[in-house]
């Protein structure tokens, strides 16, 4: 099946065992601004999973750049020792280790070191609005020396080479781009001048590396800002010139910058087509003779194989799919691709570079933060020995020794999978006709079908492991108590709410909650005017808005927030969502409270203006906070020896918390 992807690839003076690169990304795992033991565990697990090359989290090359609180400051004298510890573990597992070198330039922040930002010109970052200092010649020399110093640390740390970041958040890219480089000296103006800083950096780093180490470049070849930024034509020419130096051993091709219209290039969400930058990588590959890696929503081995087989690239960079499942290469190569835990491109948990500085996690993989050494049955083709499935006519066995789970959402399914891997007999009851809970419902929204992949994966794993799944079965407390089960997990999820303060009129017949909208329920009548009360700013509410808008409803969203769509900012979805719904005439009404719902209208009040006004409404959608469905749990509490609950029936949150709690419950069972 895979004739290209898992073939070795020569990269400069080294050989990678295959053509998969685990790309650099922020983890916030550092300790004292150095690689930590947690980094070692994290990268080693990806190497053990079969990836060919690992590019470590960016190492900052100069003290003028301190972009986030947990940044790895590569210029610290202790860096080589920390690097050597991680490199040794990655090398022992068979992968190459590269150190990404970077200076964030204008895209840094001054919060952590209380000094000016450095950039080619005094052009502010669109995110922070902070105006940087235009670098003087001595500043340029100091940063080039910094790149060389950290390259020296990489050599002493026994890495296989370095990668220069000339893409996402990069001073080197900022010098290349006419958007951010407005200089009129030898480092600005013509392409030759704008290239000078990067070329001098390459020469300085190559002098340190000699002929025994890899020097790669992660290059933005299209800023998606054609009015002034780097265009594909310029990007290809830059790639050609870099390859011609004879110093660069590979190029990873990306596109997009801080001024890109949709703001998706750094971590494209599920609404962006997979492989969106592949054709650009192919154009670069035609222009150079060194290996080219494609990047940008490459989600699985099959897609990666097709890209390489078509000649678009010599290899591919993956990040989020390898966060979701480190064993993706090994399982795929072994013909078990269906066993790979899928990445949803949801951008929840893995986007950690911000004000909170949370540690990296994953919506679908609880092992990122809390590694669990799964038993050998995880990779077994055979059903587990505890498979107790019965023929339809057989008498079902007693539940006295079983782990009983009520609710087959993500928490219940992960608990069942984990417990079955540990050898427990698991019986899983679901009152709906199909498993998946709120996630299966959310997957019905426009563009969010990817969410269904984690449910399909978990159900398939449960079937393989012999979990007894009974759908369309409501379980009562009295029945459960009569069965005397060995242990019970309640994972019954959440139910619709009525508003933080119950909204008068919430029970009128033309008022539906978001779940009912996603199920396809609608009010009867001739009108098509809908008011959506958005209390949560969540994907679910805005999915309902998009669904109704595409059906022709005239929608007004009312929220007490300053703007509509707050939760879509962190997942890079807001600009694209606005682009999809605004052409349908959706009206957005911020900082406005709902007073009451009446037949045919909603009475609202602007928080900063006197008086009330009425919004006509043939349909009202309650996009309000849900409540835990915990009746069964409290009916059983104190009456069973071993009882636990997990997921939204504890309190409604994200998929990440549901799966993590399901994992913990499966280990407890």
């Amino acid at each position: 099946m895979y004739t290209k992807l898992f073939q070795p690839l020569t990269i400069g003076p080294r050989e990678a065992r295959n053509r998969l690169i685990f790309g650099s990304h922020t983890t916030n795992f550092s300790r004292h601004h150095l690689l930590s033991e947690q980094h070692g565990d994290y990268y080693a697990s990806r190497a053990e999973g079969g990836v060919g090359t690992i590019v470590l989290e960016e190492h900052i090359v100069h003290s003028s750049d301190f972009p986030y609180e947990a940044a790895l400051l590569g210029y610290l004298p202790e860096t080589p020792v920390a690097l050597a510890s991680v490199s040794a573990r990655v090398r022992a597992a068979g992968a190459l280790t590269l150190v990404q070198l970077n200076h964030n330039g204008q895209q840094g922040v001054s919060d952590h070191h209380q000094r000016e930002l450095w950039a080619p010109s005094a052009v502010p970052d669109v995110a922070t609005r902070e105006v940087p200092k235009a670098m003087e010649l001595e500043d340029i020399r100091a940063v080039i020396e910094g790149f060389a110093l950290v390259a020296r640390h990489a050599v002493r740390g026994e890495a296989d080479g370095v990668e220069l970041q000339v893409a996402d958040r990069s001073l080197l890219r900022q010098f290349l781009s006419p958007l951010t480089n407005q200089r009129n000296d030898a480092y600005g103006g013509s392409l030759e001048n704008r290239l000078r800083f990067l070329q001098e950096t390459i020469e300085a780093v190559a002098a340190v590396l000699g002929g025994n180490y890899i020097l790669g470049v992660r290059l933005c070849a299209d800023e998606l800002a054609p009015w002034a930024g780097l265009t594909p034509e310029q990007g290809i020419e830059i790639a050609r010139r870099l390859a011609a130096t004879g110093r660069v051993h590979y190029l990873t091709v990306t596109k997009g910058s801080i001024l890109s219209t949709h703001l998706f290039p750094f971590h494209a969400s599920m609404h962006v087509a997979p492989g969106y930058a592949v054709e650009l990588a192919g154009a670069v590959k035609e222009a150079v003779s060194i290996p080219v890696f494609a990047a940008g929503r490459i989600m699985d081995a099959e897609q990666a194989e097709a890209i390489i087989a078509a000649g678009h690239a010599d290899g591919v960079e993956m990040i989020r799919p390898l966060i979701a499942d480190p064993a993706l290469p090994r399982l795929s190569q072994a013909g078990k691709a269906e066993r790979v835990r899928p990445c949803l491109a949801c951008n929840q948990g893995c986007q950690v570079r911000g004000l909170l500085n949370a540690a990296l996690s994953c919506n679908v993989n609880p092992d990122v933060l809390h590694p669990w050494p799964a038993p050998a049955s995880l990779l077994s083709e055979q059903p587990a020995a505890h498979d107790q499935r019965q023929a339809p006519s057989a008498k079902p066995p007693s539940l006295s020794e079983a782990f009983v789970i009520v609710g087959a959402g993500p928490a219940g399914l992960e608990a069942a999978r984990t417990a079955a891997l540990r050898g427990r007999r698991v019986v899983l009851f679901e009152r709906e006709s199909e498993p998946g809970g709120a996630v299966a419902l959310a997957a019905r929204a426009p563009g969010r079908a990817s969410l269904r992949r984690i449910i399909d994966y978990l159900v398939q794993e449960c079937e393989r492991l012999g979990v007894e799944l009974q759908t369309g079965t409501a379980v009562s407390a009295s029945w459960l108590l009569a069965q005397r089960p060995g242990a019970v997990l309640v994972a019954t999820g959440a139910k619709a709410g009525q508003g933080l303060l119950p909204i008068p009129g919430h029970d009128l017949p033309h008022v539906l909650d978001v779940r009912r909208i996603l199920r396809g329920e609608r009010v009867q009548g001739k009108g098509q005017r809908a008011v959506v009360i958005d209390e949560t700013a969540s994907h679910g509410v805005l999915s309902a808005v998009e669904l109704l808008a595409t059906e022709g409803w005239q929608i007004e969203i009312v929220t007490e927030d300053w703007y509509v769509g707050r939760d879509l900012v962190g997942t890079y979805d807001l600009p694209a969502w606005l682009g999809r719904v605004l052409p349908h005439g959706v009206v957005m009404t911020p900082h406005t409270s709902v007073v009451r719902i009446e037949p045919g209208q909603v009475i609202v009040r602007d928080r900063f203006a006197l008086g009330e006004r009425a919004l006509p409404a043939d349909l009202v959608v309650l996009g309000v906070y849900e409540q835990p469905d915990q009746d069964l749990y409290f009916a059983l509490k104190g009456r069973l020896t071993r009882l636990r609950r997990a997921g939204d029936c504890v309190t409604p949150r994200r998929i990440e918390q549901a799966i993590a709690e399901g994992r913990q419950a499966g280990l407890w069972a």
Side-chain angles (χ1 to χ4, degrees):
M1 181 179 180
Y2 303 102
T3 62
K4 303 289 186 181
L5 181 61
F6 295 107
Q7 293 299 310
L9 177 66
T10 298
I11 309 175
R14 305 291 170 97
E15 182 177 86
R17 63 183 171 188
N18 59 46
R19 293 157 187 260
L20 277 170
I21 282 187
F22 186 41
S24 178
H25 53 284
T26 302
T27 65
N28 285 332
F29 291 166
S30 73
R31 296 294 181 269
H32 308 294
H33 305 294
L34 301 168
L35 288 169
S36 65
E37 184 177 351
Q38 189 175 10
H39 275 116
D41 293 340
Y42 178 71
Y43 291 122
S45 69
R46 273 74 197 164
E48 291 160 2
V51 75
T53 303
I54 291 176
V55 186
L56 304 182
E57 185 170 348
E58 66 175 1
H59 280 58
I60 305 304
V61 301
H62 191 266
S63 60
S64 57
D65 184 29
F66 198 157
Y68 51 100
E69 187 176 359
L72 295 169
L73 306 182
Y75 53 82
L76 295 177
E78 300 88 354
T79 292
V81 174
L83 266 172
S85 176
V86 174
S87 298
R89 296 186 63 183
V90 172
R91 182 171 56 253
L96 300 180
T97 305
L98 303 180
V99 181
Q100 188 179 83
L101 313 184
N102 193 31
H103 189 298
N104 287 256
Q106 65 164 166
Q107 290 171 270
V109 294
S110 60
D111 300 344
H112 305 301
H113 59 11
Q114 293 296 302
R115 58 172 293 181
E116 78 287 351
L117 303 180
W118 285 8
S121 303
V123 176
D125 176 21
V126 294
T128 65
R129 312 294 195 206
E130 188 168 351
V131 180
K133 168 195 173 184
M135 293 172 67
E136 302 171 54
L137 294 181
E138 54 264 37
D139 301 332
I140 292 174
R141 287 192 292 270
V143 171
I144 293 172
E145 290 170 2
F147 274 99
L149 171 64
V150 184
R152 191 172 298 111
H153 285 174
V155 170
R156 290 176 55 201
E158 302 178 7
D160 294 286
V162 303
E163 176 182 89
L164 303 183
Q165 168 66 298
V166 195
D168 304 348
R169 297 178 172 94
S170 166
L171 178 65
L172 294 172
R173 191 207 80 249
Q174 292 157 23
F175 266 84
L176 288 179
S177 172
L179 278 169
T180 45
N181 185 343
Q182 300 174 2
R183 303 174 72 95
N184 55 15
D185 62 3
Y187 292 91
S190 67
L191 178 58
E192 180 179 2
N193 283 355
R194 287 182 279 117
L195 261 169
R196 194 179 309 278
F197 181 32
L198 174 55
Q199 289 176 323
E200 290 178 352
T201 300
I202 289 172
E203 290 300 318
V205 170
V208 170
L209 299 180
N212 296 322
Y213 298 90
I214 297 170
L215 199 172
V217 170
R218 192 169 196 269
L219 175 68
C220 172
D222 179 5
E223 290 193 293
L224 296 176
W227 57 90
L230 293 172
T231 62
E233 294 76 18
Q234 295 175 55
I236 292 167
E237 178 59 24
I238 290 168
R240 183 181 291 114
R241 295 192 187 195
L242 294 181
T245 65
R247 309 292 195 191
V248 176
H249 298 127
Y250 76 85
L251 295 169
T252 296
V253 178
T254 74
K255 65 179 179 179
S257 73
I258 54 174
L259 294 176
S260 301
T261 305
H262 291 97
L263 298 178
F264 71 71
F266 306 145
H267 301 284
S269 81
M270 65 181 70
H271 293 279
V272 178
Y276 62 85
V278 166
E279 290 188 5
L280 182 59
V284 170
K285 179 172 167 52
E286 289 182 2
V288 303
S289 57
I290 59 176
V292 171
F293 289 86
R297 274 216 76 195
I298 299 171
M299 304 304 292
D300 54 45
E302 183 179 0
Q303 181 192 4
E305 172 73 19
I307 289 167
I308 300 170
H312 295 305
D314 300 286
V316 300
E317 177 193 83
M318 282 188 184
I319 300 177
R320 291 173 296 175
L322 290 167
I323 297 174
D325 196 334
L328 181 154
R330 183 157 49 96
L331 287 169
S332 299
Q333 190 174 12
K336 305 175 187 177
E338 75 282 355
R339 301 283 312 284
V340 175
R341 188 181 286 258
C343 171
L344 309 182
C346 60
N347 285 341
Q348 297 178 22
C350 58
Q351 306 306 310
V352 296
R353 186 160 165 177
L355 297 176
L356 298 179
N357 288 296
L360 180 80
S361 62
C362 176
N363 240 13
V364 300
N365 182 7
D367 296 329
V368 173
L369 275 178
H370 305 289
W372 171 54
S377 57
L378 177 63
L379 296 178
S380 171
E381 296 244 21
Q382 302 301 320
H386 57 277
D387 188 345
Q388 297 291 329
R389 287 174 287 190
Q390 300 290 312
S393 60
K395 181 181 179 180
S398 167
L399 297 182
S400 60
E401 298 299 323
F403 177 36
V404 175
I405 303 172
V406 184
L413 288 166
E414 178 61 36
R417 171 185 174 273
T418 302
L421 281 169
R422 297 177 58 241
R424 291 299 309 271
R425 178 190 168 215
V426 183
V427 182
L428 176 55
F429 296 100
E430 169 56 47
R431 64 189 166 199
E432 301 294 336
S433 60
E434 64 173 18
V439 177
L441 193 59
R444 298 184 185 183
R448 292 179 67 76
S450 289
L451 293 172
R452 181 76 215 185
R453 297 180 66 202
I454 186 58
I455 300 303
D456 292 342
Y457 162 82
L458 290 171
V459 169
Q460 178 178 280
E461 280 288 282
C462 286
E463 290 175 349
R464 183 184 69 85
L465 294 166
V467 171
E468 301 166 51
L469 173 58
Q470 299 184 27
T471 57
T473 305
V475 174
S476 68
S478 59
W479 183 86
L480 262 180
L481 289 168
Q483 305 307 308
R484 300 181 178 274
V488 173
L489 173 69
V490 177
T492 45
K495 56 188 177 182
Q498 301 170 357
L500 274 176
L501 298 175
I503 300 171
H506 65 80
D507 53 354
L508 290 171
H510 69 303
V511 180
L512 302 179
D513 59 66
V514 167
R515 289 185 179 231
R516 294 173 70 184
I517 294 294
L518 294 177
R519 286 192 186 102
E521 294 184 42
R522 301 292 183 268
V523 295
Q524 300 299 315
K526 298 180 180 180
Q528 288 285 296
R529 299 169 300 180
V531 171
V532 177
I533 301 171
D534 182 7
E535 191 174 84
T536 68
S538 67
H539 285 266
V541 177
L542 300 182
S543 290
V545 169
E546 185 172 355
L547 182 59
L548 291 172
T550 59
E551 293 175 1
W553 290 83
Q554 302 167 36
I555 301 172
E556 183 164 356
I557 311 173
V558 178
T559 178
E560 291 192 336
D561 282 348
W562 301 109
Y563 62 94
V564 170
R566 182 189 66 242
D567 276 11
L568 272 63
V569 174
T571 60
Y572 302 97
D573 280 314
L574 183 57
W577 179 81
L578 290 170
R580 295 194 301 271
V581 302
L582 290 181
H584 292 284
V586 172
V587 176
M588 302 184 188
T589 304
H591 49 76
T592 297
S593 302
V594 174
V595 179
R596 62 188 176 276
I597 303 169
E598 297 178 346
Q601 62 183 9
V602 177
I603 308 302
V604 300
R605 178 190 298 117
D606 189 300
R607 292 170 62 189
F608 302 101
L610 296 175
E612 299 176 351
R613 64 190 181 98
L615 306 179
D618 304 298
L619 166 67
V620 178
V621 179
L622 285 182
V624 299
Y625 289 100
E626 296 189 327
Q627 298 299 315
D629 189 349
Q630 54 193 353
D631 294 346
L632 178 62
Y633 172 78
F634 283 111
L636 296 172
K637 188 175 182 180
R639 305 173 71 184
L640 284 175
T641 304
R642 304 195 70 223
L643 174 68
R644 188 165 178 155
R645 58 177 166 162
D648 284 0
C649 73
V650 178
T651 189
R653 288 151 297 160
R654 298 198 314 239
I655 303 172
E656 178 181 354
Q657 287 80 30
I659 289 180
E661 289 178 4
R663 164 63 59 77
Q664 293 161 9
L667 294 173
W668 161 84

